[in-house]
Every structure is written in C-alpha cells, then in structure tokens.
Amino acid sequence: MNVIEIKNLTKRYGNARGIEDISFHVEEGEIFGFIGPNGAGKSTTLRTLLSIIFPTSGSATIFGKDVIKHGPEIKKQIGYLPSEVFYYDKMKVKDLLNYSASFYKKDCRKRIHELAEIMDLNLNKRIEDLSYGNRKKVGIVQGMLHEPKLIILDEPTGGLDPLMQQKFFDLLKEENKKGATILFSSHILSEVQKMCDRVAIIKEGELITVEKISTLQENNHKKIKIETKQPVDAGWFAVDGVTNIESDGHKISFLYSGNINIIMKKLAEMELSNLWVDEPDLEEIFLHYYEKEEGSK
Amino acid sequence: MNIFWRELKYSRKSMIWWCVGILFMVVSGMSKYGTMKSSGQSANEIFGAMPKSLQAIFGLSSLDLSTVMGFYGMLFSYLVLMATIHAVMLGANMVAKEERDKTSEFLMAKPVSRIRIITSKLAASLVLLVIFNLVTYAFSTAMVKHYESTADTGEIWKFMAGLLLLQVLFLAIGMVIAAITKHPKRATSLAAGILLAAYILSIVIELNDKLDALKYITPFKYFEAKNLLSDSGVDAVLVTLAAVICAACLSAAFVFYKKRDLKS
C-alpha cells in the first residue's frame, strides 16, 4: 500500500519558482529520502502535504485520502518536524508538549517522558531560553509523542550534535521497525544514505529521479584508482563509461559505469603497482546527476 | 477547547493591563465631574464657551454636562475609543499571530481544521470582549454612584450594550483584515489604522452638518451617547447595519483564512 501518493503536484508563487509537476509515492513501512539542495522545493512539497499551503494544480493523498479534504483526519496519524522550529516562546517545554498532546485523543504522558529521556531534553525550561539544537529536540519529541504511523521530517538534523543525531536515527529506525513510514528531507546525502531505502532527487522544483539507494550505488558507478610504474597517457582510458578522469602521470582515477569485464581487461594489460575500487558515495552520484542535467540543456 | 483555553491564558496579562487602563480612564474622567460639582461651576458654561470644533473633539455635542449621566456620556466616547482599539487589535492579533510567531507549521500539523482554529480564537476573543465590557460596566456604575448616589445607573446598561456591539464589530474587522493580508506582521497596525481613520471621520462629520449622510460609513456614529440617552434611542437602521457588517466581516474572515497559504 502507498502511504503517500503525489500526483503532478505544482505550486507556483507568482513568478517565483515553487515546484513543477512532482509525482512520486512512498510505500508503507519504508524510509524514503527526499534530497536536493536548499531552495529546490523540498519544504514546499512537504507543506503542501500538510495543507499549510495549497497546490496550484495536481493532488496528493496520504493513507489513500486527499490531503486537503481529509486534512484533520489524516493528521491524527502524522508526526511532522518542520525545518525551522518555532514555538510559543513564553511556554515551558512540558507545557508545549502537553499542548501538542492535547490535540490527540490519547494519553501521551508516558511517551513524552521516554522521548525526553532518550533525547536528553529538560522539560522544565522555557522555550525562549533553549539553544537551536535543544529546540530541535523539542520538535522531535513533539512530532513523535503520539506514535504516528507517518513521520515527516524536514531537514531534521540541523543543530544536533553527532551523538544526538545517532540517537535520533536509532529512534527513527525503532519507530520504523514498529511499522512507521518515514519521509525524510535533507540536503545532506550521507545521512540519507545511512537511513533510507529509496530516494527522490529534486532540483530547481523538478523531480530528477526516484531510485533505490542500492541501485544508485550498485548499478551505476565504480570509483577506480590505479597507480602505475610507467607514466600512462590518460587517453588510454577513453572507452565508453569512463568519466571524471584525473591523472598526474603515475596516479589515475576515474568513474566507470558499464560492463565490469571490459574495464578489467583494460587494467590487466597494464603493469600496476596499486589498485583501488570503491563504491562512490551518494555525493558523487548526486553531482553526476547535476552534470547530466546541465549537459542536456 | 485546547486552542480556546490557550488563547485565554495567553491574553491574561494584557487583559489585566487593559482593566487597569479602564479603571484609570473612568476614575480620572469622573473625578473632573466631582471637581466641577464641588466648585459650583456649570460644566455646560465652560464647555459651551469652547469653539464648536473643540466640542466635537471632546465628543460633547448636545449632552447636558450638568447631569452625571450627561457627563458620563462625554467620558463614554473615550471608553468607546479604548474598547474598539482593544477589539480591533485583538481580532487582528488572534488571526495573524500564528504566522507572525511562525507557529502555524506546528498548529497546522495537528489534527484540527482551520475552521475549528478560527472558531476557537473567535470564542476566546468574545470572552475577552465581554470581560472588558463587564469591567467597564462595574467601574462606571461605581464611579457614577460615587458622585450621585441617586443617579439612575440603569442607563449604563444601554451604554454597555452599544459598546459591546461596537467591540464585536471591530473584532470582526480586525479578524478579516488579518485573514486577507499577506503580511501578518503588518495586520495589527493596518487594523489600528483603519480604526483611526473611522474615528477621525466621525469627528469630521460632527463638525460639518452637511456630511451627516456619511454616518453610515463610520461605526463610531452608530451608538453615540446623545442617542443612547435620548428617548428616541438609537437608529434601528444603524443597529441593523452594524449587525450586517459584523456578519459579513466574520464570514469573509472564515472564507479567506480557510483558503490562504500560511506563511512559516
């Protein structure tokens, strides 16, 4: 079953760019990454899902129900963490969390304390006295205290130190195991790579691709680096599938996509002193997608 | 109900300060009546010697200032100004503050409809207006009785009924302005500006008889002390007009708030 289904979603702000004809779906139980640079339209898409803003055209459903018509009903099962966390400054953390819990018809007190414990959050402080990272923690607890079936996170790790990030990711994985679906937007690829099953890549308001993380890494590219005794002309590697050649005579590195046997034969003909074959990280693949887009224009 | 209670709690402090303001206004205003009464001077003579424009600004045309209720009628026009400033700012604030304070993303992610949000805010605002009104009634009655123990304070109810209608009317105007404007930070000052324009217009009409037809435009002409005190009472057309404007503003506020893109 698809928890989220987005169909041809378009949002324009006058002449300013919003999002253009976005379509993808998120399946039940998966952790779905939504990546792109700042200003690509990630928040616009998420805000449309929560009917904070309304689409110019297109539609979206969550749990099979239209997000505008059935907004209040579907939000019972959604937990949302906005990218910038702002709350009623005069409130204490626990008052805010209780206020948040009062919107759901269930007793959330136990869960609030559990989450505050995990995230190391002081419940008795005033929100206005909190640092950026601690506000983010309030946001995390606030978004998860009602044990939602769908967790939507917009740039969730900003302001959290690496230790907290790890605790937070563990928490998310635990929720995911219990059955929660997670939609995770980010411009930091390594965290998406760590967490997600599939990703949608968005750029300048348009969806570039939706892929399995594993497909992105496996099928497409190998990062190969060799060291030779004799200087080698970089032109020797001018075969199909080789890109990003960098050479300083003895050391050559490049990206390769295609039949692995062809490149192995090429390499076997050489006198090598060293060889490295790596999976490129998502960052490099991402750049590759960008270049391809630029090139096709 | 949670939004309703939160709004009331949030407004507690400012409401206390407004009450102090009302107390100050009523006590200082009525104490002038006490001074005049004890010095044996006729207030009518003092104010009658003023140019008509000043009389209009003081809001005392055709009031008998030698009676305590006539004098209170003069004070009433200031209480009206105060109460309507409170109401119009309250209305604009209630609608605009979630966006201004960037809490709309928090609230909109909760399982509540926008209609329920604005209904709760309207309900909380009405409670605050009634509190404002009752406090004004209590202080007014006490001070009038203090200077003339035999005065018929039953008349004050009429003043308060008119005041409440004006309060609700300006609350609705404040709400619709905030619901329509794309700049939540400016909503309150815009609402206050419109109120000020209406007030100035009411003085201009007072100064110039030829402009009497304009009284339908500015709510400050709907419930004036001189009409509330006279036997003829207030114009039924104006009461109806007030109710219609109020209903129109409130429904427009609901419609626009339901459809708008919320800033965050």
Side-chain angles (χ1 to χ4, degrees):
Chain A
M1 191 191 108
N2 292 336
V3 170
I4 301 177
E5 193 139 10
I6 298 174
K7 284 181 212 134
N8 309 102
L9 204 62
T10 296
K11 175 70 183 174
R12 298 193 192 98
Y13 298 100
N15 288 325
R17 192 184 61 223
I19 49 173
E20 197 68 40
D21 200 23
I22 300 265
S23 301
F24 66 86
H25 67 272
V26 179
E27 285 157 24
E28 189 173 14
E30 77 177 332
I31 303 184
F32 190 92
F34 193 34
I35 58 176
N38 292 322
K42 299 188 297 288
S43 294
T44 301
T45 309
L46 300 187
R47 282 179 193 150
T48 311
L49 289 179
L50 290 156
S51 54
I52 296 168
I53 54 175
F54 297 102
T56 311
S57 65
S59 65
T61 61
I62 293 180
F63 308 125
K65 288 171 184 153
D66 185 82
V67 292
I68 296 168
K69 260 189 227 150
H70 301 280
E73 197 192 330
I74 58 181
K75 283 174 197 167
K76 284 178 193 167
Q77 294 299 341
I78 297 179
Y80 173 57
L81 173 65
S83 57
E84 285 178 79
V85 188
F86 287 98
Y87 295 123
Y88 310 91
D89 278 353
K90 300 280 174 233
M91 276 179 150
K92 279 185 181 173
V93 173
K94 71 174 168 204
D95 294 333
L96 179 96
L97 295 176
N98 287 335
Y99 181 49
S100 182
S102 71
F103 287 93
Y104 307 100
K105 289 183 178 67
K106 59 159 97 173
D107 187 0
C108 307
R109 275 173 299 182
K110 193 169 148 250
R111 191 67 185 146
I112 288 175
H113 283 101
E114 281 171 12
L115 290 167
E117 184 89 3
I118 296 169
M119 297 309 294
D120 190 21
L121 178 67
N122 184 342
L123 292 177
N124 290 310
K125 277 205 169 173
R126 271 176 189 269
I127 308 235
E128 57 189 341
D129 298 332
L130 294 180
S131 66
Y132 179 59
N134 277 317
R135 275 176 190 237
K136 204 89 195 186
K137 290 185 198 169
V138 178
I140 291 167
V141 177
Q142 173 273 131
M144 293 170 81
L145 54 85
H146 55 294
E147 295 167 89
K149 284 188 189 147
L150 171 63
I151 302 174
I152 298 178
L153 308 157
D154 196 357
E155 306 272 357
T157 53
L160 293 182
D161 60 55
L163 192 69
M164 267 308 146
Q165 269 187 35
Q166 197 49 55
K167 281 186 181 177
F168 173 50
F169 284 161
D170 292 344
L171 192 63
L172 286 179
K173 279 179 186 152
E174 206 178 295
E175 289 300 306
N176 182 243
K177 253 183 230 156
K178 281 193 257 169
T181 308
I182 297 170
L183 173 59
F184 187 115
S185 114
S186 179
H187 67 280
I188 303 163
L189 299 150
S190 57
E191 62 185 32
V192 174
Q193 196 171 8
K194 245 190 278 177
M195 289 289 296
C196 301
D197 309 320
R198 291 195 306 145
V199 287
I201 298 177
I202 186 174
K203 183 196 163 197
E204 290 174 4
E206 285 175 37
L207 197 69
I208 294 175
T209 185
V210 180
E211 285 267 31
K212 277 188 179 164
I213 287 268
S214 48
T215 320
L216 274 183
Q217 283 169 319
E218 280 165 20
N219 291 2
N220 290 13
H221 292 86
K222 296 282 176 212
K223 197 162 91 180
I224 299 174
K225 194 174 152 194
I226 55 171
E227 203 177 328
T228 55
K229 290 195 173 123
Q230 305 296 320
V232 179
D233 178 23
W236 198 77
F237 285 104
V239 292
D240 270 355
V242 171
T243 49
N244 297 31
I245 300 183
E246 276 172 45
S247 163
D248 70 346
H250 289 279
K251 279 184 188 168
I252 298 174
S253 69
F254 55 88
L255 288 178
Y256 178 74
S257 78
N259 188 338
I260 204 78
N261 295 305
I262 295 172
I263 198 73
M264 287 316 286
K265 272 178 198 154
K266 271 276 197 203
L267 290 173
E269 289 168 22
M270 304 176 76
E271 184 76 11
L272 299 177
S273 60
N274 216 337
L275 167 72
W276 298 264
V277 181
D278 283 321
E279 297 289 320
D281 55 23
L282 212 47
E283 211 105 10
E284 282 158 301
I285 294 168
F286 198 48
L287 282 175
H288 174 75
Y289 265 106
Y290 273 17
E291 279 157 14
K292 216 160 66 179
E293 280 286 301
E294 296 292 329
S296 66
K297 266 176 198 166
Chain B
M1 285 304 269
N2 44 8
I3 300 174
F4 171 80
W5 288 115
R6 212 204 79 77
E7 290 299 348
L8 284 186
K9 214 175 154 191
Y10 177 90
S11 307
R12 213 170 25 181
K13 255 189 208 153
S14 80
M15 198 63 223
I16 291 171
W17 283 111
W18 277 102
C19 290
V20 171
I22 301 166
L23 180 69
F24 178 77
M25 184 72 107
V26 175
V27 169
S28 66
M30 289 310 287
S31 72
K32 298 218 171 50
Y33 176 79
T35 322
M36 284 175 191
K37 195 181 149 200
S38 58
S39 66
Q41 270 180 305
S42 163
N44 282 335
E45 272 172 36
I46 298 171
F47 287 113
M50 283 182 182
K52 193 171 182 269
S53 54
L54 264 184
Q55 288 187 20
I57 291 165
F58 280 109
L60 39 77
S61 53
S62 62
L63 286 172
D64 182 2
L65 297 177
S66 60
T67 67
V68 69
M69 286 314 291
F71 195 91
Y72 178 75
M74 178 178 77
L75 177 62
F76 178 70
S77 61
Y78 294 97
L79 290 171
V80 164
L81 185 59
M82 215 171 131
T84 50
I85 289 174
H86 170 252
V88 85
M89 284 172 58
L90 182 69
N93 251 325
M94 278 285 177
V95 175
K97 72 175 156 205
E98 304 287 349
E99 285 175 86
R100 190 195 59 208
D101 301 340
K102 307 191 179 210
T103 49
S104 48
E105 278 198 311
F106 167 83
L107 198 55
M108 285 312 298
K110 303 293 168 219
V112 280
S113 67
R114 294 196 186 188
I115 295 295
R116 219 187 96 195
I117 292 172
I118 201 163
T119 308
S120 306
K121 284 171 178 276
L122 175 63
S125 307
L126 289 175
V127 169
L128 293 168
L129 294 190
V130 169
I131 292 174
F132 193 111
N133 196 280
L134 289 177
V135 168
T136 310
Y137 173 76
F139 290 156
S140 300
T141 310
M143 286 311 286
V144 169
K145 281 276 186 209
H146 176 73
Y147 289 108
E148 299 288 349
S149 53
T150 56
D152 179 15
T153 50
E155 301 255 271
I156 292 179
W157 267 122
K158 282 193 212 163
F159 283 103
M160 291 308 127
L163 183 65
L164 189 63
L165 257 168
L166 282 178
Q167 284 176 289
V168 177
L169 178 58
F170 274 101
L171 178 82
I173 292 173
M175 284 176 90
V176 76
I177 288 170
I180 292 175
T181 180
K182 291 203 166 94
H183 307 281
K185 278 179 191 160
R186 277 185 244 155
T188 315
S189 39
L190 191 62
I194 286 175
L195 176 130
L196 205 65
Y199 187 71
I200 290 168
L201 182 63
S202 76
I203 291 175
V204 172
I205 294 169
E206 193 71 49
L207 286 173
N208 192 337
D209 294 336
K210 284 180 206 150
L211 297 176
D212 194 54
L214 289 178
K215 69 182 177 189
Y216 297 104
I217 301 177
T218 169
F220 287 104
K221 297 301 273 180
Y222 292 2
F223 307 100
E224 287 189 295
K226 59 182 175 193
N227 301 327
L228 290 167
L229 283 176
S230 75
D231 295 328
S232 59
V234 290
D235 190 345
V237 176
L238 290 175
V239 179
T240 318
L241 186 61
V244 169
I245 295 175
C246 196
C249 284
L250 282 180
S251 9
F254 273 78
V255 169
F256 278 98
Y257 192 71
K258 196 179 166 215
K259 288 187 177 163
R260 68 177 287 155
D261 283 348
L262 294 177
K263 290 223 161 80
S264 46

